[in-house]
Amino acid sequence: MPQATRPTQLSPSRALDFQQCPLLYRFRAVDRLPEPPSKAQVQGTLVHSVLERLYEVEAGRRTPEEALALIEPEWAKLQAGEDVSELFSGLDDESSWLRGVRRLVETYFSMEDPTRLEPHRTECLVTTTLDDGTQLKGFIDRADVNGDGLVRLVDYKTGRRPPERYSEKPIFQMKFYALVWWRTRGTIPKLLRLMYLGDGRFLDYSPTQDELEGFEKGLKALWATMREAIATGQFRPQQSKLCGWCAHQKLCPEFGGEPPNYPLPTVLPGLEMPPT
């Protein structure tokens, strides 16, 4: 069982966890309870690895054939580092799943030509500390910078593009990256691009300085709320349609369960919180 930790940084995924359900955030970020990987999650990891490796070869060799040839070795590496044997019922099931991975990689080439791109960075770690001490951390799939210094941040998604009414979460993630990029490099990205390989569609967004300043204020307020929950151990469950995909229903009061004892020292609400 992983050892519990006191979170000191905010990432887009953990911020979205807390907004969805504070108790889910606690289970993932504080208790660090294990969650079995899903086929979709492993598929996303594999496709991301293939596309990252693709940009490590010279531009002229970034062909569909080269990318497809990377799938097997990257899959072998992933299997060596993570137990995914229970995901598949047999060789036919795994073969069918790998055909799906190949289709996603092929779709990528229908969306852009990697031989004409020279990314500034791939799988780029970005971190910053805001003026109130809030620490932000994230990984950007790809950062492109053109000759005029204009920045495009790109994120690959292996699902289908969501309807507009459900685009808030992916745009939140990209605004997070844009804010950290701006605060560390002094340049506001011109374009935030999500590439949905499930249907070959894009979701583009161009942030403004006013938007990012407002977003920054919101993150500061969110982290203050999260810090108080971490200090007091009070994480309320929040039921939604997403509960059906939660790995921790048996521990959730909304489903008749009981969370484990809070693993960190606590203080009473309103008192000075432990340092982060």
Side-chain angles (χ1 to χ4, degrees):
M1 179 71 68
Q3 186 175 1
T5 59
R6 183 179 300 277
T8 60
Q9 294 178 316
L10 184 60
S11 69
S13 56
R14 296 291 81 86
L16 289 169
D17 283 344
F18 190 88
Q19 291 175 325
Q20 175 186 324
C21 174
L23 186 59
L24 173 64
Y25 170 83
R26 178 202 143 172
F27 288 156
R28 285 178 169 171
V30 179
D31 298 87
R32 298 175 65 205
L33 299 181
E35 296 183 15
S38 68
K39 286 184 179 180
Q41 289 170 333
V42 176
Q43 187 180 68
T45 300
L46 179 54
V47 170
H48 278 73
S49 295
V50 168
L51 295 181
E52 183 182 358
R53 297 286 88 76
L54 181 67
Y55 278 99
E56 292 178 357
V57 303
E58 60 187 42
R61 290 175 49 208
R62 295 178 196 149
T63 63
E65 294 75 19
E66 181 79 19
L68 292 173
L70 289 168
I71 292 176
E72 289 293 343
E74 290 302 313
W75 177 224
K77 279 195 245 177
L78 197 157
Q79 289 175 295
E82 185 173 353
D83 184 9
V84 295
S85 58
E86 294 185 3
L87 288 178
F88 305 103
S89 57
L91 289 177
D92 289 343
D93 187 23
E94 182 178 346
S95 295
S96 175
W97 180 82
L98 283 170
R99 285 195 294 272
V101 172
R102 294 186 187 99
R103 283 194 295 271
L104 292 170
V105 172
E106 288 169 343
T107 298
Y108 168 75
F109 283 86
S110 73
M111 300 178 74
E112 65 181 8
D113 181 359
T115 66
R116 302 179 63 183
L117 296 171
E118 202 56 60
H120 174 70
R121 293 281 299 278
T122 59
E123 195 60 24
C124 177
L125 169 65
V126 289
T127 62
T128 193
T129 301
L130 303 181
D131 57 16
D132 70 339
T134 301
Q135 299 178 50
L136 306 182
K137 175 183 178 180
F139 284 91
I140 303 170
D141 288 343
R142 200 178 83 218
D144 300 332
V145 181
N146 71 8
D148 295 326
L150 299 180
V151 177
R152 177 176 66 182
L153 303 183
V154 179
D155 197 73
Y156 309 121
K157 301 292 185 185
T158 50
R160 301 171 68 87
R161 174 179 160 160
E164 290 296 331
R165 64 183 182 277
Y166 296 124
S167 64
E168 183 177 349
K169 285 186 178 181
I171 289 178
F172 176 96
Q173 174 192 8
M174 297 306 286
K175 282 184 178 179
F176 190 105
Y177 297 151
L179 173 63
V180 180
W181 187 277
W182 176 36
R183 289 307 187 199
T184 55
R185 293 164 171 81
T187 301
I188 294 177
K190 181 69 174 178
L191 183 67
L192 311 177
R193 166 162 286 183
L194 291 120
M195 300 181 66
Y196 287 91
L197 307 181
D199 56 7
R201 300 177 65 195
F202 297 98
L203 177 57
D204 289 343
Y205 191 84
S206 295
T208 66
Q209 180 171 329
D210 286 345
E211 282 180 302
L212 291 184
E213 288 175 346
F215 185 75
E216 182 178 53
K217 290 178 182 178
L219 285 184
K220 291 176 180 177
L222 176 63
W223 181 238
T225 301
M226 295 168 73
R227 282 191 60 221
E228 182 170 358
I230 293 165
T232 62
Q234 296 183 6
F235 293 86
R236 58 180 176 79
Q238 185 166 299
Q239 196 167 357
S240 73
K241 294 179 180 179
L242 298 175
C243 291
W245 286 272
C246 182
H248 309 296
Q249 276 196 16
K250 292 182 179 179
L251 300 175
C252 180
E254 294 293 314
F255 295 89
E258 183 176 347
N261 291 331
Y262 191 60
L264 301 178
T266 60
V267 298
L268 294 175
L271 298 181
E272 183 178 355
M273 289 182 281
T276 60

